[in-house]
Amino acid sequence: GENVEQHPSTLSVQEGDSAVIKCTYSDSASNYFPWYKQELGKGPQLIIDIRSNVGEKKDQRIAVTLNKTAKHFSLHITETQPEDSAVYFCAAKGWRGLTGGGNKLTFGTGTQLKVEL
Amino acid sequence: NAGVTQTPKFQVLKTGQSMTLQCAQDMNHEYMSWYRQDPGMGLRLIHYSVGAGITDQGEVPNGYNVSRSTTEDFPLRLLSAAPSQTSVYFCASSLSGLGPGPFFGPGTRLTVL
């Protein structure tokens, strides 16, 4: 099955600096890669996603890049603010056939981002 | 739209008790799923449904049961609660299996004594 590895597990940056979180995946059938932000006591919130036919996607201060050949994708947050402090999860999904789990989403283990003043 | 709603927010059970975690969505999404989140384990899929009347097992289905009688509702039943089922449970939904999403509810924190 699919395996998604996420690094680092914790990341501390100064306010205004950039933060980068990296993920790798194992299944070349994966073609959809969402990123979630989870604040304490809340459910994961979809913040950006990218499909395998796109190399980069940007939404204000966040961007995601995808390298299909190397099977890795990254989340970039610029001009970090204290409210960016949260746990971030990457995930991968693709059609794996009726006996391969269908369109199941596989998550990374999360990155605790702390933005310090 | 209220999005994905879950009840209750918190629940404490004794070993052997049964209960149902409720999940509803008002976005007319076909796909619904249940995840549990444990420290160091990330989010793990329990059961999912691709439409009313269709359900299937995820990664960790043992001890849980689901049904999908309507598009809106996807309850998760704990048949005989065990301490190993202490976790935070999230329901999620998406329009299809191809994304975007899924979109998660606020979660239910369950403690089994």
Side-chain angles (χ1 to χ4, degrees):
Chain A
E2 173 68 281
N3 182 46
V4 177
E5 294 189 358
Q6 183 171 348
H7 300 280
S9 56
T10 60
L11 179 60
S12 185
V13 299
Q14 294 292 316
E15 184 181 7
D17 287 349
S18 296
V20 180
I21 302 170
K22 298 182 179 182
C23 289
T24 61
Y25 61 99
S26 60
D27 191 342
S28 56
S30 291
N31 56 15
Y32 175 70
F33 307 92
W35 284 88
Y36 291 87
K37 174 184 180 182
Q38 186 175 26
E39 297 174 325
L40 195 61
K42 296 185 178 181
Q45 175 193 4
L46 178 68
I47 56 172
I48 195 167
D49 57 11
I50 192 168
R51 298 191 183 274
S52 58
N53 59 348
V54 176
E56 183 175 359
K57 184 176 179 180
K58 192 173 181 180
D59 183 4
Q60 297 182 14
R61 294 187 298 109
I62 60 173
V64 57
T65 59
L66 171 66
N67 183 326
K68 282 192 301 182
T69 303
K71 294 182 188 168
H72 66 70
F73 55 114
S74 300
L75 178 71
H76 304 253
I77 305 174
T78 59
E79 301 173 22
T80 53
Q81 301 168 2
E83 51 264 39
D84 294 330
S85 295
V87 178
Y88 291 81
F89 290 95
C90 64
K93 180 164 68 171
W95 177 251
R96 297 178 179 82
L98 293 174
T99 57
N103 274 308
K104 292 179 186 176
L105 192 65
T106 302
F107 284 88
T109 50
T111 296
Q112 175 75 60
L113 173 64
K114 184 177 181 181
V115 179
E116 298 178 335
L117 297 172
Chain B
N1 286 352
V4 179
T5 58
Q6 292 183 239
T7 56
K9 283 190 71 66
F10 303 94
Q11 183 70 50
V12 179
L13 292 178
K14 294 181 179 178
T15 297
Q17 287 185 316
S18 63
M19 80 158 294
T20 299
L21 307 185
Q22 300 292 344
C23 173
Q25 53 88 13
D26 61 357
M27 299 174 283
N28 202 31
H29 285 174
E30 289 295 327
Y31 276 60
M32 296 187 75
S33 49
W34 277 100
Y35 292 84
R36 59 177 290 173
Q37 186 174 39
D38 303 292
M41 303 290 290
L43 288 147
R44 293 183 293 170
L45 182 65
I46 305 171
H47 284 287
Y48 67 101
S49 168
V50 300
I54 306 170
T55 64
D56 203 352
Q57 295 181 353
E59 187 183 351
V60 288
N62 292 342
Y64 307 95
N65 201 2
V66 292
S67 60
R68 183 98 179 269
S69 57
T70 67
T71 299
E72 295 78 19
D73 301 298
F74 190 44
L76 178 73
R77 297 181 187 85
L78 277 69
L79 308 174
S80 177
S84 61
Q85 293 179 306
T86 293
S87 186
V88 182
Y89 291 85
F90 291 102
C91 180
S93 74
S94 61
L95 187 60
S96 75
L98 302 175
F103 301 93
F104 285 82
T108 294
R109 183 174 293 274
L110 175 68
T111 301
V112 183
L113 302 175

